[in-house]
Amino acid sequence: MENKKIIFSGIQPTSTPHLGNYLGALKNWVAMQDEYECVYSVVDLHAVTVRQEPAKLRGQIAETYALLMAMGIDTEKTVLFVQGHNPHHTQLAWLLSCYTGFGELSRMTQFKDKSEKHSENINAGLFTYPVLQAADILLYQADLVPVGEDQKQHLEISRDIAVRFNNIYGEAFTLPQAHIPLGCGKVMSLSEPRRKMSKSDENPHACISVLDDRDTVVRKFKRAVTDSGSEIVYREGDDLKAGINNLISIYAAVTGKTVAETEKEFSGKGYGEFKLAVGEAVADMFKPVREEYARIAADKTHLISRMRDGAEKSMKISAKTLKKVCKKVGFLQL
Ligand code: TYM
């Protein structure tokens, strides 16, 4: 790779990507392609830390990959691959797990949340999930990792593991930094605005899927939970205003306007009118993605060939790091 900074990020194919994924991460994935060397992955190995139905998972991996292309990930200039197609990830993850403390993994909030939610299946993969994520990032010597706020802790542990390894063996890994968007690093649920929008939310009105049709998007925004007030004003840190704050942040991110411009535009107007405007803006934003997705998903042969190409390109890059690391720890090279 040339002297451009390297970007790595991943998304789990656990269901159709949503508005939070898009504004928190995927929009930046697309935008960063011109300036940086980007490597993006559909992280199927992470997805099986929670039970998945095999046929459904297969479909979702292909859907997520095609949706990323539909959003504008250009597989000619960017490496887009399915994590499980590149065995270097699990290889490095094993190695890094020997440089990761039980204590530090126990402190991961995602592990605590997920083990509460899936108490019937608290498996070792769920526990070592952040080590695989560190391997994803470090294999490509990534400088920046575009993610939402919820991934901050996983980025910190990735850095900690890299620093520890580098301190023992000398420079092996670039230290990665999280790249989190201002304003939309944490998009909240439309029905419980004090919780983040999440794929696993059981309430269908809480979450906007990238593939929701226009009427569904607008209807969900009309039903979005706000408060008994009426002014479209952003109140930082005011829990009672979490719903309207969220809608203002979404509208600003989608239209490219500032919060102040948004407040001005809707001064004197009520919540109802504003919710409709946010819904329409989001539906307009996703319309071309939906159309492009239908086109890309229809050509399975092309999709598979893009995946194959992505896997090969990713392996070429990751092999270099893996080789270097194996040498440093003292594995006998043939
Ligand atoms: P995942 O699949 O949960 O989410 C994909 C991306 O979407 C962001 N995101 C959000 N951003 C704003 N508001 C929300 N409500 C919201 N929900 C999700 C996430 O922060 C993420 O950037 N562990 C990762 C996948 C992963 C990864 C990696 C990421 C595996 N390896 C290496 C970066 C680098 C995850 O579960 O993302």
Side-chain angles (χ1 to χ4, degrees):
M1 289 192 177
E2 306 154 27
N3 281 336
K4 287 180 178 177
K5 282 197 170 166
I6 299 169
I7 310 302
F8 182 91
S9 199
I11 181 166
Q12 293 195 66
T14 40
S15 74
T16 308
H18 56 65
L19 181 65
N21 298 132
Y22 185 76
L23 294 180
L26 307 180
K27 193 175 164 195
N28 270 338
W29 292 20
V30 177
M32 290 170 109
Q33 292 179 108
D34 292 330
E35 204 180 329
Y36 304 102
E37 290 289 348
C38 299
V39 182
Y40 300 130
S41 186
V42 176
V43 294
D44 53 347
L45 302 175
H46 279 106
V48 296
T49 51
V50 170
R51 284 283 173 273
Q52 304 290 338
E53 210 263 288
K56 200 168 157 212
L57 179 61
R58 253 189 304 277
Q60 280 168 189
I61 294 167
E63 181 192 85
T64 307
Y65 193 100
L67 265 172
L68 290 170
M69 287 175 67
M71 283 172 192
I73 302 296
D74 177 348
T75 57
E76 292 300 330
K77 62 178 170 196
T78 288
V79 179
L80 179 63
F81 73 106
V82 176
Q83 184 192 36
H85 294 166
N86 178 347
H88 301 155
H89 289 248
T90 42
Q91 276 175 274
L92 185 64
W94 167 257
L95 211 91
L96 295 182
S97 72
C98 304
Y99 299 83
T100 308
F102 185 87
E104 58 188 339
L105 288 177
S106 315
R107 286 191 291 277
M108 293 290 115
T109 49
Q110 185 177 301
F111 172 69
K112 290 188 213 163
D113 292 349
K114 283 203 177 167
S115 28
E116 250 174 51
K117 215 166 174 183
H118 305 278
S119 54
E120 74 301 338
N121 179 24
I122 307 177
N123 60 71
L126 200 57
F127 189 63
T128 57
Y129 180 114
V131 185
L132 179 59
Q133 181 159 348
D136 295 342
I137 298 166
L138 301 180
L139 270 175
Y140 299 90
Q141 307 289 353
D143 299 286
L144 292 175
V145 183
V147 283
E149 244 170 64
D150 62 340
Q151 294 301 314
K152 236 178 172 166
Q153 206 184 24
H154 285 164
L155 258 294
E156 278 159 19
I157 194 173
S158 299
R159 272 177 81 94
D160 291 345
I161 296 170
V163 167
R164 187 171 306 139
F165 196 94
N166 287 351
N167 283 343
I168 304 173
Y169 299 103
E171 284 311 298
F173 299 121
T174 303
L175 301 187
Q177 251 182 4
H179 179 85
I180 299 170
L182 284 175
C184 264
K186 192 173 185 185
V187 175
M188 309 310 276
S189 150
L190 297 188
S191 49
E192 283 177 84
R194 277 160 216 87
R195 288 175 41 179
K196 72 165 183 170
M197 185 176 284
S198 161
K199 291 173 198 161
S200 53
D201 205 311
E202 272 147 30
N203 181 343
H205 300 288
C207 180
I208 302 287
S209 153
V210 172
L211 290 177
D212 279 346
D213 62 38
R214 186 178 188 82
D215 287 351
T216 309
V217 173
V218 170
R219 183 162 28 86
K220 285 181 182 176
F221 273 102
K222 274 189 186 158
R223 293 179 56 136
V225 170
T226 42
D227 57 84
S228 55
S230 60
E231 272 185 326
I232 319 298
V233 177
Y234 190 93
R235 297 232 161 74
E236 179 78 48
D238 185 343
D239 229 25
L240 291 173
K241 295 286 171 186
I244 196 71
N245 283 351
N246 188 37
L247 295 180
I248 293 174
S249 303
I250 292 171
Y251 186 78
V254 171
T255 58
K257 292 175 185 164
T258 63
V259 167
E261 284 164 350
T262 304
E263 289 172 341
K264 203 168 157 212
E265 185 181 346
F266 291 94
S267 142
K269 296 179 180 157
Y271 281 0
E273 199 172 330
F274 182 53
K275 285 180 185 178
L276 181 66
V278 186
E280 285 178 343
V282 171
D284 287 346
M285 173 175 73
F286 285 147
K287 184 171 180 260
V289 176
R290 280 208 326 268
E291 290 168 357
E292 189 60 8
Y293 170 76
R295 201 183 61 75
I296 293 168
D299 189 348
K300 291 275 179 304
T301 316
H302 181 65
L303 193 59
I304 299 290
S305 98
R306 295 293 78 217
M307 284 185 188
R308 195 164 274 136
D309 185 59
E312 275 166 20
K313 284 185 187 152
S314 82
M315 276 190 272
K316 237 189 201 155
I317 307 167
S318 57
K320 291 188 196 143
T321 301
L322 190 63
K323 193 165 176 211
K324 175 158 96 178
V325 170
C326 287
K327 200 165 162 200
K328 281 186 183 285
V329 297
F331 290 154
L332 185 67
Q333 316 263 307
L334 289 176

